[in-house]
Structure formats: C-alpha cells, structure tokens
Amino acid sequence: MTTTAGPSAAALSVPVAGSLSPSRAGDFMTCPLLYRFRVIDRIPEKPSPAAVRGTLVHAVLERLFDLPAAERTIPAALELLAPQWDRLLEEDSGLADLFPADADGEAEHAEWLAQARQMLERYFLLEDPRRLEPAERELFVETVLESGLKLRGYIDRVDVAPSGEVRVVDYKTGTAPRADFEARALFQMKFYALVLWRLHGTVPRLLQLMYLGNGEILRYAPDEADLRATERKVEALWQAIRRAMETGEWRPRTSRLCDWCDHKERCPSFGGTPPPLPEVPAARPSPAG
C-alpha cells in the first residue's frame, strides 16, 4: 500500500460548496439531461426488475458475512433470498407491483428469482467467503476536497490484509464490460479509492469489481497519480454541473441506454419537452446515490 499525506487542514475546514456521489457523477457523464431529471427535478422513476434484483443480491451477500465463516455456503446464501426479499417488500410495498398479479407475472417472478440464485451461485465460483473476514460492508464514506466539493458514497466491501493493505470490492449483477469500456467501469472504484485516500492518507492496494452476471472479475491496482487524475476529473465534472445549473442548459446525450430510460417521453432527442426547471435557483445536486 502506498502511504501518503492525509487530508489537509484546508480540506477539513473548507466550507462545502456541493456534493457528488459516483452514481450522480455517472449520470452526468451518461447524459446531463438525465442528471437534471434525477437530481434537479427529482422525477420519480419506476424500479426495474434488474435493479431490484441487484439490490436483493447485494443484501444477501452483505448478510452472508454475518454467519460464522464455516456456514457461508451456497445453500446458506440461497436461504437468505426469501427473507431479504420480504424485508425489501416491507421497506417498499410498491415493489409488489414489479410483476403482474397473474400467471404470467408469477412466471416472470420465478425466472427473476432463478436468475438471482444463479448470480449467488456464481459468486462462490469467484471467491470462498469462508476464508474472508471483511473489515467493512456497506461502508458509507465522505470527504471534502480543498475546492469545497464533498464526495460521498457507499462501498460494498472493504478487505484489510494482516499487512494493512486495503482491497475495495464492489459487486455487479451485470456482465463485465468490453475492454474499451473498462475505464468507465473503474471510475466508480477510483472515486471510492480517492475518498479513502483523502480520509486515511493511504492508496488502496487493489480495486476489484465482481461481475455476477457472467462470473468475471476486473481488478485494478491504483497509484497516487491515478487518484490525482480522478480528482481532477471529478472537479471538472462538478464545474460542468455548476455551469449547467447557472445557464439552465442540460443537454441530452443519446446512447443505447436511452432505450431503458424512464424519461424518454420528455427528452427533446425523442420529440419530448422537459418540464420547466424548479423555481428555486439555488437547488444543489443531491449527494445521494
């Protein structure tokens, strides 16, 4: 692990000028108008079956480590599926509408659960949780850069070796990206590594993305230069967001992701009209995400 100076006194005392999370930064990079709809307008979106399945699988993997090491087996993980799904339904009763209340809906739900089981089984092909004792799970982290920009987010898992080296782990329920899209996939992990570095003064030894959709692992060993570059990128993103807030210009950026966007009907690229911007000009981007 690379040891460096921790956060400066200026960064610790500087007034917060705004907040950004990896998901909201990703939204803006994907499409500035999508960022506006989610953060400025706060337009509700329907949860997708794929996103909810990801939440369910994450919940099971988080709680798997509550069990004694020897009991962290495939059957134990599968047994956690039903109670975790029940918990999600209790927290958000609207999830019950994810599937139609008919025979077709039951079949969709059964297939959806089968895919969640396959992802959990695939996880055990990637690592043996009986040999792991994570230092942190679902860890909330935040830090303020010297510019006043607050960075924050939730890390799926942090492992610390006896030597003190840190591994940052994130579970993905999709499939691993092609080589030319790996940099985009690693941005979130470098964002987390930047926050940990600014908090503790050490560069994480390894960033690990575990793709449960196809059983691949993407690993990356960052260095201080990587994280300084990530900080510059985050600051540039924030400045672009501030300019959009000041000018009211939130330009759409079309891509294949538009086919799954909840806001297609109000997007100018598809003949739609965005709603008027909220009255409050000082609205700031939400740190949540």
Side-chain angles (χ1 to χ4, degrees):
M1 175 183 291
T2 304
T3 302
T4 63
S8 68
L12 292 172
S13 60
V14 70
V16 175
S19 299
L20 200 60
S21 69
S23 56
R24 297 292 78 87
D27 286 343
F28 190 84
M29 288 189 292
T30 297
C31 173
L33 186 58
L34 173 65
Y35 178 98
R36 181 206 139 170
F37 288 150
R38 286 180 169 171
V39 178
I40 306 300
D41 298 287
R42 299 182 182 274
I43 298 173
E45 297 179 355
K46 296 179 295 184
S48 71
V52 176
R53 184 174 55 226
T55 300
L56 175 60
V57 170
H58 275 75
V60 169
L61 291 176
E62 179 188 359
R63 284 155 183 81
L64 180 67
F65 287 98
D66 289 336
L67 300 175
E71 297 177 19
R72 297 170 195 162
T73 62
I74 293 176
L78 298 181
E79 286 178 7
L80 288 169
L81 265 175
Q84 289 307 310
W85 176 234
D86 290 341
R87 180 183 63 82
L88 292 177
L89 286 173
E90 287 179 8
E91 294 176 356
D92 184 357
S93 59
L95 296 180
D97 300 326
L98 211 56
F99 305 98
D102 55 23
D104 289 341
E106 290 181 8
E108 290 176 21
H109 187 208
E111 174 61 21
W112 181 82
L113 282 174
Q115 291 173 354
R117 287 193 291 270
Q118 289 171 1
M119 290 175 183
L120 290 171
E121 292 169 351
R122 200 171 283 128
Y123 162 76
F124 283 82
L125 298 175
L126 301 178
E127 65 180 9
D128 185 352
R130 295 172 299 181
R131 302 178 61 184
L132 296 169
E133 289 299 339
E136 302 286 353
R137 288 170 281 152
E138 283 295 308
L139 174 66
F140 176 74
V141 291
E142 68 174 14
T143 191
V144 180
L145 303 180
E146 292 185 10
S147 65
L149 176 61
K150 178 185 289 185
L151 306 183
R152 58 194 298 175
Y154 284 89
I155 302 174
D156 286 348
R157 199 178 87 206
V158 177
D159 300 332
V160 180
S163 60
E165 293 184 325
V166 172
R167 177 172 64 180
V168 181
V169 179
D170 195 70
Y171 308 118
K172 297 295 185 185
T173 49
T175 57
R178 300 196 313 266
D180 50 341
F181 285 96
E182 284 185 0
R184 181 70 176 269
L186 283 169
F187 171 75
Q188 175 187 12
M189 302 301 282
K190 290 182 180 181
F191 186 108
Y192 292 143
L194 170 61
V195 175
L196 291 174
W197 176 44
R198 289 305 186 193
L199 282 173
H200 305 301
T202 54
V203 175
R205 176 67 180 82
L206 188 66
L207 310 179
Q208 180 168 297
L209 283 160
M210 305 183 71
Y211 287 92
L212 307 183
N214 62 349
E216 295 185 19
I217 296 179
L218 176 59
R219 297 182 177 93
Y220 185 81
D223 57 23
E224 185 173 326
D226 281 324
L227 302 190
R228 291 192 184 281
T230 299
E231 184 169 341
R232 290 193 296 271
K233 181 173 183 175
V234 168
E235 293 280 18
L237 275 173
W238 178 247
Q239 291 306 315
I241 291 170
R242 290 290 298 269
R243 285 194 296 271
M245 293 173 64
E246 291 167 0
T247 63
E249 295 182 9
W250 301 91
R251 297 180 180 178
R253 181 179 297 131
T254 57
S255 71
R256 289 180 298 175
L257 296 176
C258 295
D259 292 338
W260 294 276
C261 183
D262 274 6
H263 307 288
K264 198 170 181 179
E265 64 182 15
R266 58 182 66 90
C267 177
S269 294
F270 297 92
T273 301
L277 279 164
E279 293 281 334
V280 184
R284 288 180 176 171
S286 166

